[in-house]
Amino acid sequence: MVADGLFELHGDEPRLICTRCAACGTVYFPQAPSCRNPDCRKKTVERAVLPTRGVLVSYTVQRYQPPALFRIDDWQPYAIGLVDLGDGLEVMGMLSGFALDGIAIGTRVRLLAESLYADAERGPVLTYKFAREIDA
């Protein structure tokens, strides 16, 4: 995985790992060591997972190749979206399977894990992305 503690896999299904304040209920993604809500007195957080489906509320297209630290095999322009997962929580992530000129605000999306690059020692390095929700 691209970063420890960011997400976990349940079979092929990824789940984003967050922390939730035990006292005030504030959610943090990525995880936080304590609650940063200035009105909260306890500051104790617990590990939780986020919903896997949401709505695209904004996006941008990245047309430059990122530096080596942010390695992507077979780089080409890509989109990053801001996804509303409910309860006022919005998460940024790469978009997958969208034509760059066919992205629409309000699209229902689902979480998935895809390879970002291949590492000689670790094999495929996975990251989370959001793809268009397919109607059942």
Side-chain angles (χ1 to χ4, degrees), residues 38-54:
D39 296 326
C40 184
R41 301 269 187 247
K42 290 221 178 212
K43 308 293 183 192
T44 304
V45 294
E46 302 170 336
R47 183 184 179 281
V49 292
L50 295 174
T52 59
R53 288 171 166 59

Side-chain angles (χ1 to χ4, degrees), residues 31-91:
Q31 298 179 70
S34 68
C35 183
R36 297 184 299 250
N37 179 346
D39 296 326
C40 184
R41 301 269 187 247
K42 290 221 178 212
K43 308 293 183 192
T44 304
V45 294
E46 302 170 336
R47 183 184 179 281
V49 292
L50 295 174
T52 59
R53 288 171 166 59
V55 176
L56 185 65
V57 296
S58 186
Y59 70 94
T60 188
V61 175
Q62 303 297 307
R63 297 190 186 277
Y64 65 91
Q65 188 165 359
L69 175 64
F70 302 101
R71 180 176 165 192
I72 300 173
D73 282 350
D74 302 320
W75 180 87
Q76 57 186 328
Y78 62 95
I80 296 176
L82 184 64
V83 175
D84 183 345
L85 295 176
D87 294 329
L89 183 65
E90 296 175 342
V91 172

Side-chain angles (χ1 to χ4, degrees), residues 90-112:
E90 296 175 342
V91 172
M92 284 182 28
M94 294 174 75
L95 300 180
S96 177
F98 285 85
L100 296 182
D101 60 354
I103 302 170
I105 302 300
T107 301
R108 297 201 49 77
V109 295
R110 65 181 171 81
L111 187 69
L112 62 104

